[in-house]
Amino acid sequence: MSSQPTRIVVIGGSAAGPKAAAKARRMDEFAEITLVQREQELSMASCGFPYYVGGTFDDRNMLICTPAGNVRDSQFYGKAKGIEALVLTEALRIDRDTKTVTVKHLPTESERTLHYDRLVIATGARPVCPNAPGFDLDGVQTLHSMGDADTLRAIRDTKAVEKAVVVGGGLIGFEVCEALRLAGIDTTVIEKTHQILPFLDPDLAKLVENHIRANGPDIIVGNGVAEFLGDNGKLTGVKLDNGTELPCQLAVVAVGVRPNIDLALLSHLEIGDQGGIRVNERMQTSDPDIYAVGDCVECKSLISGHWMRAPYGDIANLQGRVAGQNIIRENSASFPGITQTGICKIFDFTVGFTGLSAQAAKAAGLNDIETATISGLDIPVFMSGKLLISKLVAERESGRIIGFQCIGPGDVSKRVATMAMAIRGKLTVEDMVNADLPYAPPYSLALDHTIVSAQVMENKLKGLMQGLSVTEVKQRADHGADCFILDTRSPEEFEAMRLGIGETLIPLGALRGRLNELPEDKDREIILYCKISLRGYEGAAILQQHGWRNVKVMEGGIMAWPYAREK
Amino acid sequence: MSSQPTRIVVIGGSAAGPKAAAKARRMDEFAEITLVQREQELSMASCGFPYYVGGTFDDRNMLICTPAGNVRDSQFYGKAKGIEALVLTEALRIDRDTKTVTVKHLPTESERTLHYDRLVIATGARPVCPNAPGFDLDGVQTLHSMGDADTLRAIRDTKAVEKAVVVGGGLIGFEVCEALRLAGIDTTVIEKTHQILPFLDPDLAKLVENHIRANGPDIIVGNGVAEFLGDNGKLTGVKLDNGTELPCQLAVVAVGVRPNIDLALLSHLEIGDQGGIRVNERMQTSDPDIYAVGDCVECKSLISGHWMRAPYGDIANLQGRVAGQNIIRENSASFPGITQTGICKIFDFTVGFTGLSAQAAKAAGLNDIETATISGLDIPVFMSGKLLISKLVAERESGRIIGFQCIGPGDVSKRVATMAMAIRGKLTVEDMVNADLPYAPPYSLALDHTIVSAQVMENKLKGLMQGLSVTEVKQRADHGADCFILDTRSPEEFEAMRLGIGETLIPLGALRGRLNELPEDKDREIILYCKISLRGYEGAAILQQHGWRNVKVMEGGIMAWPYAREK
C-alpha cells in the first residue's frame, strides 16, 4: 500500500462496468478508479425498462436506485464507492503504448486523458437497426437507454398512440409488446423469421404465440420491415416485405443487439467470430492489461464449447465481478462460461429456457439427441396448480442434459433454475430422475415437473416409450396418414374438448377390455394421447405388451397442441 | 410373456407402494399385482391434509383424485391399472420360505394367503407418541391418516374448539398450527427441545418463530408434555414438563414419525441403525426378493454417506418408481440417495432447506465448514420484491456446498431447488458464484440471491470478509464486550429502525471522511452492519485497508436480527 496506487479506468457505466469498478474498490481501497459513462445515468436496471413503460411502477428513480433507495449518480459513486464517475463522457480512443484513454465530456466537448494500469472495456451493445428506409422517422424507437424508456413511458402517460408495431419477436420484443398492450395500445409484433422466440423449439413457440394473441396483440411471422412509412417526418405505418402496410404511430424496434466494439477495433484487440471482444476466463482481452466484460464480449458455452454472445444483465454482473477481482489480484477469479439461460414474462405466461433447444443443439453439431415434451401442473390441483409445458433435451449416448425449455402460467422460473443447475453440474437424465427437491403442496407436486420430465426422457432413452411431437401428429392428420389415433380420456372430457383429427375415444380404464377395437395389423402406427399424455403413455404400455409394435405417444397431450381443435 | 406371470405383492397403499405397483404394471402388463392397504383410501395426498384442514379447499376427494379427477379407489386401480387393490386389509406376516404373505380383511376378519415372486414393503411410518399419560383422551389427535384429516376438518367446520395445543415444533407441527389458526382456533405450539424447526440453525429458526407469533400462535420451547389433562375422557388441557397447564380442547401431536418395521422385524430382514429397513441402491432388502420403499426405509445421504431417515412424500415416490422397475427388470434402476431437502409454508413465510445445517454438519462430523448468512430481496424493489434470509454451508477446504437454508416471504422454493441441484451436482462455491440462472425482473435480481450467497461465502473463504452471526453480536452486546459497533445506514433509516446495542451511526458514504471517529486501537474489534449488511461489508473493506485488523460484518444485517430492537 506504500506503492503508487493502481490506476483503473472502466469504460461503460451501465451494468458490467460499475460492477467491475465497485468490486475493484472493495479489493483495493487505494486504487484510483475512474468510470466513464456516455449516458447521464449510471448502473441502470435496463431490464426493468419494460415494466416502467408498462406502468408496473411509476417512480423512474427506482431504475437507478440501490436497494436502500440511494440514486446511483456521480455523487453517490464518489461518496459511497470512492469512484470518480464521469457521466455524459465518451471514450474516444485507447492508446495501448502510453496506456491512456482519451475521453470527451459531451456537453462541453472538452477532452481529457486518463492514464491506466488496468483498463476495463464495458461498452455494451447497440440495438441492431433493420435495413429499412424511414428508420429516422419520429415515432421509430428502440428500448435501450433510459431516454428510450422515458419516451415510451410518456407515450403511455399521454395516451398519444393508438396503434403500434413491435419489430422483432424475441424476449425484448414481447416485453415491449406487453407493456404497450397494458398502456392500451393496439399492438402488432412482426418477426422476419418463421418463428417467434428463437431460443424455443417451434412447438412451444407456437403455444406462446397463441397465448399472446389471446391477450390482444397480433403477431405476423415470416415478414420483416421493408419500410417505415412517414408523413412530415412522422411515422404513419410500417410496410412489410410482402407489401402489407400496417398503420401505426409508433414502431419499437427490438431485433437484437450487436456488441459495441468500436474502441476495441480501434485498439486492435482480438475480436471473435461472433462479433464480440475475445476474452479469456479472466476476462482479459488479447492485451493483458485490458479486460472486457458484458454485452461487448463473447462467452464460451459450457455445453458445446463454442463461443457465443450472451447479452444478459446477470452475465454482465458476473463478469464485472470477475474482472474487478483480477485487475487487483491477477488470476484470482475466473468466469468459466455460460449455459445460456433466459426468462421472460409475457402476459400470464412465463417463458424460460436454459441450454440448447433441439434446433440449437443440431445447429451446434450435436445430432445424437433425444427430446421429451411434457405437460403438467406446477403444484397440486387442490392448491390451484397451474400448467407448465416443457421440453427437455439430452444427449442420447451419455444421457447428459443439455437443454430445457419451459412455458406456461405455472412457476416456470423455478423449473428453469433447477434445470440450469442440472446442466451446470453436468448431470445426466439418470441423476435427475431421482433429484431431491423441496416438496410441499404449495410449491410442487410430489414428483416435481422437472423430475417427471427426466423420467419421461428416461423412458424414451430406455425404449419404454416412443414419442411424437404435436407437429408430427398434425402432419400425419393433415396428410391423412394411415395411423390409428387414440384418445384415452373420459367421455366427459372428450365432450368438453377434443382435437377432431380422426381420433377414436377409448378411456384408459376401458382399454384392456376393448383391444378388439384396435387395428388388426399389429404394425400399424397407433398414436395415443390424453390431456397431458400420462394416460396416453399408460395406454401405450398396454398396447405394446399386447403385441402392437408401432405404438407412439403424442408428447404433452392436448395441453401441448398449439393448432386449432374441433372443440 | 409365455412364461408364468410374475406375482407381485405390494404392502402399503399410500405413496411409495402404489407408485411401485403402477410402475411395475407399466413395465409388465401380465404380472399379477396385488396392493394391500390397511386403510380405506389409496394413494392419498397426505401432504395436502393440513390444507384441507385449514380450508384451502373443501372437496375431500381432491386428496385422492388423479389430476384428471378420477378417485383412486379399488375400482380405479382395477380398471385403469390392472392392479388388485385390497383395502381395509392388513398384512399379518410374511413367510419368506414359501414366499407368501398372509393378509386379513379387517371388516370381515377373513384371512388370505398371497403368493409372491417379488414383494414390496411400503408400510410407511407411524406417528411417535409422547410418553405422557392421557394420550388416549378424546381430543388428542395426530394428523397422519385421512381419518385424522376428517376429524380435524370437522372441528374446523363445527367451530367446536377454541383453544388448541400443537405438540411438536417441526414441519408438520407448524403446518397444523397454521391450519388451526386459519380455523380461528387460539393455538400454542410446544417444543421439547430448545429450538423449533430442527433442520434450521437457531438464528434462522428464531426469525421464523417471530413470524409465527406475529400471526397469532404462541410458541413454547424447551418444554415437553408431561400429561394430557382430561375430564370424563375428554381433553381439557396439556400440562408441560415445567408444570404449566395450558387449557385446550384439542391437542395435535406432531413429534415425528417412526418407520413401521413390524413386518420386516417379524421376517428377520435387516434393520439399520436409524431404525428403518436397510435397502441397497436397488431398494432391495437383505432378502433379494423383497424390496422396501418409502418412510419405512433408511436412505443414504449423498453428502455425508451416512444412513438417514427421510420420511418425505417425494422420496417415497422416487423410491417406489425405482423398486417398480427392478422387480420387473432386475438391476435396471437405482436410487442413489438423498440430500435431505424440505420445505414448508408457515403463514407468509416459506421455510426451506437442502443438505446440512451448520449444526447438522457438525453432528455428522464435518467440522471444517464455513457458513454465510445473507438477507436480500428475491426480485427488484420496483417489482415489489420480498425478503429472503438464507444461510449457506460449505466445506472450507474443498469449497463444496453442503447445505442451504432459506426463509422469508420471498420465493424461497426456487432458491432451495437451485441449491439442491448445486449440492446434487457436487458444485463448489466457485462454481456457484458464476451460475447462469434465469434473470428477468419478475423472477430475480440481476444477481440471484443464491449467487450472492455464494459470493459472500467466497469472500469469507478468501479472507476478504470476516463474519459474525447475529447471535454472536447479541452475546457481545449483552456482555458489554469491548467492541465498536458501527451501523452504516443513513440517518433516516437509523431514525426509523435501529438495534440500540450501543452502535455508532456513520453512513457508508461518510465513512472515509470520519475514520478519526473509529477506535485508535487498530486491534479493537469493530462490527459493521446495515439493513442487509452489504453496506456493512463495503465499510468493513474500507476499514481493513485503513489498517484496522479486527473488522467483522454482522451477517444478514438488521433483517436477520431476531432479537428485540430499540426501535
Side-chain angles (χ1 to χ4, degrees):
Chain A
M1 297 190 194
S2 51
S3 62
Q4 277 292 95
T6 308
R7 291 165 302 183
I8 294 166
V9 176
V10 177
I11 304 172
S14 298
K19 190 76 188 176
K23 184 67 190 174
R25 166 57 69 232
R26 288 198 283 275
M27 302 281 294
D28 184 352
E29 172 66 8
F30 305 103
E32 284 176 18
I33 307 178
T34 310
L35 185 60
V36 180
Q37 166 72 327
R38 205 181 183 289
E39 323 282 318
Q40 168 70 58
E41 296 82 12
L42 287 157
S43 197
M44 311 85 86
S46 319
C47 300
F49 291 166
Y51 305 95
Y52 176 57
V53 171
T56 303
F57 59 99
D58 299 318
D59 179 2
R60 179 185 186 276
N61 267 350
M62 294 183 100
L63 291 165
I64 43 173
C65 268
T66 67
N70 297 307
V71 171
R72 297 193 195 92
D73 54 14
S74 294
Q75 206 192 358
F76 167 80
Y77 268 91
K79 283 179 65 179
K81 309 266 181 191
I83 292 170
E84 188 185 14
L86 309 176
V87 299
L88 295 172
T89 299
E90 188 172 5
L92 299 178
R93 59 191 166 271
I94 300 163
D95 185 328
R96 289 165 57 186
D97 294 327
T98 59
K99 293 180 123 185
T100 55
V101 181
T102 307
V103 303
K104 180 167 84 175
H105 184 236
L106 297 173
T108 60
E109 299 206 323
S110 64
E111 294 194 7
R112 187 175 153 187
T113 300
L114 305 170
H115 289 264
Y116 68 81
D117 297 305
R118 300 280 182 278
L119 176 67
V120 179
I121 299 177
T123 42
R126 291 200 183 112
V128 172
C129 305
N131 192 8
F135 186 72
D136 55 349
L137 287 167
D138 187 14
V140 182
Q141 264 298 136
T142 56
L143 181 50
H144 196 71
S145 66
M146 277 291 276
D148 293 337
D150 291 334
T151 304
L152 288 175
R153 171 71 192 217
I155 285 171
R156 174 190 184 274
D157 292 343
T158 57
K159 303 187 192 309
V161 162
E162 268 177 44
K163 281 174 185 292
V165 167
V166 174
V167 183
L171 287 182
I172 307 293
F174 285 108
E175 284 178 350
V176 169
C177 161
E178 179 175 353
L180 297 178
R181 179 68 204 151
L182 291 178
I185 298 170
D186 183 1
T187 304
T188 301
V189 179
I190 60 173
E191 166 58 42
K192 202 181 181 74
T193 70
H194 285 274
Q195 183 200 316
I196 62 165
L197 302 168
F199 44 83
L200 294 181
D201 282 319
D203 293 350
L204 268 65
K206 193 119 186 79
L207 289 165
V208 180
E209 205 180 308
N210 294 346
H211 178 71
I212 295 164
R213 284 182 208 277
N215 277 278
D218 195 14
I219 298 173
I220 298 173
V221 294
N223 228 327
V225 188
E227 189 180 349
F228 294 98
L229 306 172
D231 185 21
N232 269 326
K234 280 195 160 180
L235 181 78
T236 57
V238 170
K239 186 174 171 184
L240 306 186
D241 287 335
N242 70 352
T244 307
E245 292 187 10
L246 303 173
C248 62
Q249 301 87 50
L250 174 68
V252 183
V253 175
V255 292
V257 294
R258 189 173 288 144
N260 178 2
I261 55 170
D262 297 357
L263 276 176
L265 279 173
L266 275 173
S267 330
H268 305 290
L269 297 174
E270 189 187 346
I271 305 298
D273 51 18
Q274 302 296 308
I277 303 172
R278 190 54 67 84
V279 289
N280 63 15
E281 283 212 340
R282 309 305 188 182
M283 305 311 298
Q284 251 166 338
T285 66
S286 51
D287 179 334
D289 293 324
I290 304 181
Y291 292 73
V293 289
D295 293 1
C296 62
V297 307
E298 294 180 1
C299 313
K300 232 181 198 153
S301 163
L302 291 170
I303 301 168
S304 67
H306 296 171
W307 289 100
M308 318 190 75
R309 289 198 273 132
Y312 302 116
D314 57 330
I315 301 298
N317 273 282
L318 296 176
Q319 294 176 338
R321 183 172 181 272
V322 166
Q325 291 178 74
N326 287 331
I327 54 183
I328 302 300
R329 290 195 199 165
E330 226 170 311
N331 296 337
S332 65
S334 355
F335 181 75
I338 55 161
T339 48
Q340 285 274 51
T341 305
I343 195 163
C344 170
K345 177 184 172 304
I346 310 183
F347 296 104
D348 299 330
F349 264 36
T350 300
V351 175
F353 65 97
T354 181
L356 304 173
S357 65
Q359 57 190 6
K362 282 168 192 161
L366 301 167
N367 287 305
D368 192 30
I369 59 166
E370 186 56 274
T371 66
T373 300
I374 67 163
S375 304
L377 296 180
D378 54 356
I379 60 175
V381 177
F382 60 78
M383 301 301 286
S384 309
K386 291 180 185 159
L387 192 69
L388 297 171
I389 301 162
S390 66
K391 184 169 179 178
L392 183 64
V393 183
E395 287 178 343
R396 212 190 302 257
E397 184 67 25
S398 64
R400 182 180 161 201
I401 295 169
I402 60 169
F404 181 70
Q405 305 151 61
C406 188
I407 65 169
D411 182 353
V412 164
S413 157
K414 174 169 132 179
R415 278 71 196 189
V416 172
T418 302
M419 283 296 191
M421 294 310 298
I423 293 175
R424 163 69 56 156
K426 300 197 189 303
L427 296 193
T428 64
V429 172
E430 207 186 327
D431 296 320
M432 193 68 211
V433 292
N434 284 318
D436 185 356
L437 292 171
Y439 164 53
Y443 309 105
S444 169
L445 299 181
L447 292 184
D448 187 67
H449 185 85
T450 49
I451 296 176
V452 174
S453 160
Q455 292 181 341
V456 170
M457 175 68 87
E458 189 189 46
N459 290 339
K460 289 186 73 178
L461 292 175
K462 285 187 174 178
L464 298 175
M465 172 183 147
Q466 282 193 75
L468 283 179
S469 72
V470 286
T471 303
E472 289 169 317
V473 175
K474 174 77 159 66
Q475 283 163 354
R476 280 163 170 73
D478 286 350
H479 298 138
D482 180 34
C483 51
F484 185 86
I485 305 179
L486 188 57
D487 183 334
T488 55
R489 295 174 305 146
S490 69
E492 296 73 33
E493 290 174 273
F494 191 76
E495 207 36 63
M497 175 170 68
R498 63 172 170 261
L499 298 189
I501 54 170
E503 69 268 33
T504 301
L505 177 77
I506 305 182
L508 177 65
L511 185 59
R512 288 186 178 86
R514 291 172 62 181
L515 294 176
N516 59 334
E517 297 175 35
L518 288 156
E520 277 183 40
D521 175 2
K522 296 269 173 148
D523 284 315
R524 189 163 162 210
E525 187 177 65
I526 303 179
I527 302 169
L528 294 93
Y529 65 83
C530 59
K531 189 172 175 191
I532 61 169
S533 281
L534 177 58
R535 285 171 286 170
Y537 162 57
E538 295 190 26
I542 295 172
L543 298 190
Q544 277 170 327
Q545 298 189 49
H546 279 97
W548 278 275
R549 285 177 287 267
N550 195 5
V551 181
K552 290 169 184 165
V553 178
M554 184 176 84
E555 294 184 41
I558 295 176
M559 290 298 96
W561 181 264
Y563 309 106
R565 293 189 308 254
E566 181 182 318
K567 213 167 178 179
Chain B
M1 298 190 193
S2 52
S3 60
Q4 276 294 95
T6 308
R7 290 165 303 183
I8 294 165
V9 175
V10 177
I11 304 172
S14 298
K19 190 75 188 177
K23 183 68 190 174
R25 165 58 69 232
R26 289 198 282 274
M27 302 280 294
D28 184 353
E29 172 68 7
F30 305 102
E32 283 176 19
I33 307 178
T34 310
L35 185 61
V36 180
Q37 167 73 327
R38 206 183 181 288
E39 322 282 318
Q40 168 70 57
E41 296 81 13
L42 287 158
S43 196
M44 311 85 86
S46 319
C47 300
F49 292 166
Y51 305 95
Y52 176 57
V53 171
T56 303
F57 60 99
D58 299 318
D59 179 2
R60 178 186 187 275
N61 267 351
M62 293 183 100
L63 291 165
I64 43 172
C65 269
T66 67
N70 298 307
V71 171
R72 297 194 195 91
D73 55 14
S74 295
Q75 205 192 356
F76 167 79
Y77 269 90
K79 282 178 64 177
K81 310 265 182 192
I83 292 169
E84 188 185 14
L86 308 175
V87 298
L88 296 172
T89 300
E90 189 173 5
L92 299 178
R93 57 191 169 273
I94 299 163
D95 186 327
R96 289 166 56 186
D97 295 327
T98 59
K99 294 182 127 183
T100 55
V101 182
T102 306
V103 303
K104 180 167 85 174
H105 183 236
L106 297 173
T108 58
E109 300 206 324
S110 65
E111 293 194 8
R112 184 174 156 191
T113 300
L114 304 170
H115 289 264
Y116 68 81
D117 298 304
R118 300 280 181 279
L119 177 66
V120 179
I121 299 178
T123 43
R126 292 201 183 110
V128 172
C129 305
N131 193 9
F135 187 69
D136 55 349
L137 286 167
D138 187 15
V140 182
Q141 265 298 134
T142 57
L143 179 50
H144 196 70
S145 66
M146 278 291 278
D148 293 339
D150 291 333
T151 304
L152 288 174
R153 173 70 193 218
I155 285 171
R156 173 189 185 275
D157 292 342
T158 57
K159 303 188 191 308
V161 162
E162 267 177 44
K163 280 174 187 293
V165 168
V166 174
V167 182
L171 287 181
I172 308 293
F174 285 109
E175 284 178 349
V176 169
C177 161
E178 179 176 354
L180 297 178
R181 179 68 204 151
L182 291 178
I185 299 171
D186 184 2
T187 305
T188 300
V189 179
I190 61 172
E191 166 59 42
K192 202 181 179 75
T193 70
H194 285 274
Q195 183 200 315
I196 62 165
L197 302 168
F199 45 82
L200 296 180
D201 282 320
D203 293 351
L204 267 64
K206 194 118 185 78
L207 289 166
V208 181
E209 205 179 309
N210 293 348
H211 178 72
I212 295 165
R213 284 182 207 277
N215 278 277
D218 195 14
I219 297 172
I220 298 173
V221 293
N223 228 327
V225 189
E227 189 180 349
F228 295 98
L229 307 171
D231 185 19
N232 269 326
K234 280 196 159 179
L235 181 78
T236 58
V238 170
K239 187 174 171 184
L240 305 185
D241 288 336
N242 69 353
T244 307
E245 291 186 10
L246 303 173
C248 61
Q249 302 88 51
L250 173 70
V252 183
V253 174
V255 293
V257 294
R258 190 174 287 145
N260 177 3
I261 55 171
D262 296 358
L263 275 176
L265 279 173
L266 274 173
S267 332
H268 306 290
L269 297 174
E270 188 186 347
I271 306 297
D273 52 15
Q274 302 297 306
I277 303 172
R278 190 53 66 85
V279 289
N280 63 15
E281 283 212 343
R282 310 305 188 182
M283 304 311 297
Q284 253 166 337
T285 66
S286 50
D287 178 335
D289 292 324
I290 304 183
Y291 291 73
V293 289
D295 293 2
C296 60
V297 306
E298 294 181 359
C299 314
K300 231 181 199 153
S301 162
L302 290 171
I303 301 167
S304 66
H306 296 172
W307 290 102
M308 319 190 74
R309 289 200 273 130
Y312 302 116
D314 57 330
I315 302 299
N317 273 283
L318 297 176
Q319 294 176 337
R321 183 172 181 272
V322 167
Q325 291 178 75
N326 287 330
I327 54 183
I328 301 301
R329 292 195 198 165
E330 228 170 309
N331 296 336
S332 65
S334 359
F335 181 74
I338 55 161
T339 46
Q340 283 277 50
T341 305
I343 195 162
C344 169
K345 178 185 171 304
I346 310 183
F347 297 104
D348 299 328
F349 264 37
T350 300
V351 174
F353 64 96
T354 181
L356 304 173
S357 66
Q359 56 191 7
K362 282 168 191 161
L366 301 166
N367 287 305
D368 192 29
I369 59 166
E370 186 56 272
T371 66
T373 300
I374 67 163
S375 304
L377 295 180
D378 54 356
I379 61 176
V381 176
F382 60 77
M383 300 302 285
S384 308
K386 291 179 184 158
L387 192 68
L388 297 171
I389 301 163
S390 66
K391 185 169 178 178
L392 183 64
V393 183
E395 287 179 342
R396 212 190 305 258
E397 184 67 26
S398 64
R400 183 181 161 200
I401 295 169
I402 60 169
F404 181 70
Q405 305 151 61
C406 188
I407 64 168
D411 181 354
V412 164
S413 158
K414 173 170 135 180
R415 277 72 195 188
V416 172
T418 302
M419 283 296 192
M421 293 311 298
I423 294 174
R424 162 72 54 157
K426 299 194 190 306
L427 297 192
T428 64
V429 171
E430 206 185 325
D431 296 320
M432 193 69 211
V433 291
N434 283 318
D436 185 356
L437 291 171
Y439 164 53
Y443 310 104
S444 169
L445 299 181
L447 293 184
D448 187 67
H449 186 85
T450 50
I451 295 176
V452 174
S453 161
Q455 292 181 341
V456 170
M457 174 67 89
E458 189 189 46
N459 290 338
K460 290 185 75 179
L461 291 174
K462 285 187 174 179
L464 297 175
M465 170 183 149
Q466 281 192 77
L468 284 179
S469 72
V470 287
T471 304
E472 288 169 317
V473 175
K474 175 75 159 66
Q475 283 163 354
R476 280 164 170 74
D478 287 350
H479 300 137
D482 179 35
C483 53
F484 185 87
I485 304 179
L486 188 57
D487 183 335
T488 56
R489 295 174 305 147
S490 69
E492 297 74 30
E493 289 174 274
F494 192 75
E495 208 36 63
M497 174 169 70
R498 64 171 168 261
L499 298 189
I501 54 171
E503 68 270 31
T504 301
L505 177 76
I506 305 181
L508 176 66
L511 185 58
R512 287 185 179 88
R514 291 171 62 181
L515 294 177
N516 60 334
E517 296 174 37
L518 287 156
E520 275 184 41
D521 175 2
K522 296 270 173 145
D523 284 314
R524 189 163 162 211
E525 187 177 66
I526 302 178
I527 302 169
L528 295 94
Y529 64 83
C530 60
K531 188 172 175 191
I532 61 169
S533 281
L534 178 58
R535 285 170 287 171
Y537 161 58
E538 294 189 28
I542 295 171
L543 298 190
Q544 276 172 327
Q545 298 190 50
H546 282 281
W548 280 275
R549 284 178 287 266
N550 195 5
V551 180
K552 290 168 184 165
V553 178
M554 184 176 85
E555 294 184 40
I558 295 176
M559 290 298 96
W561 182 264
Y563 309 106
R565 294 189 307 253
E566 181 182 316
K567 214 167 175 176

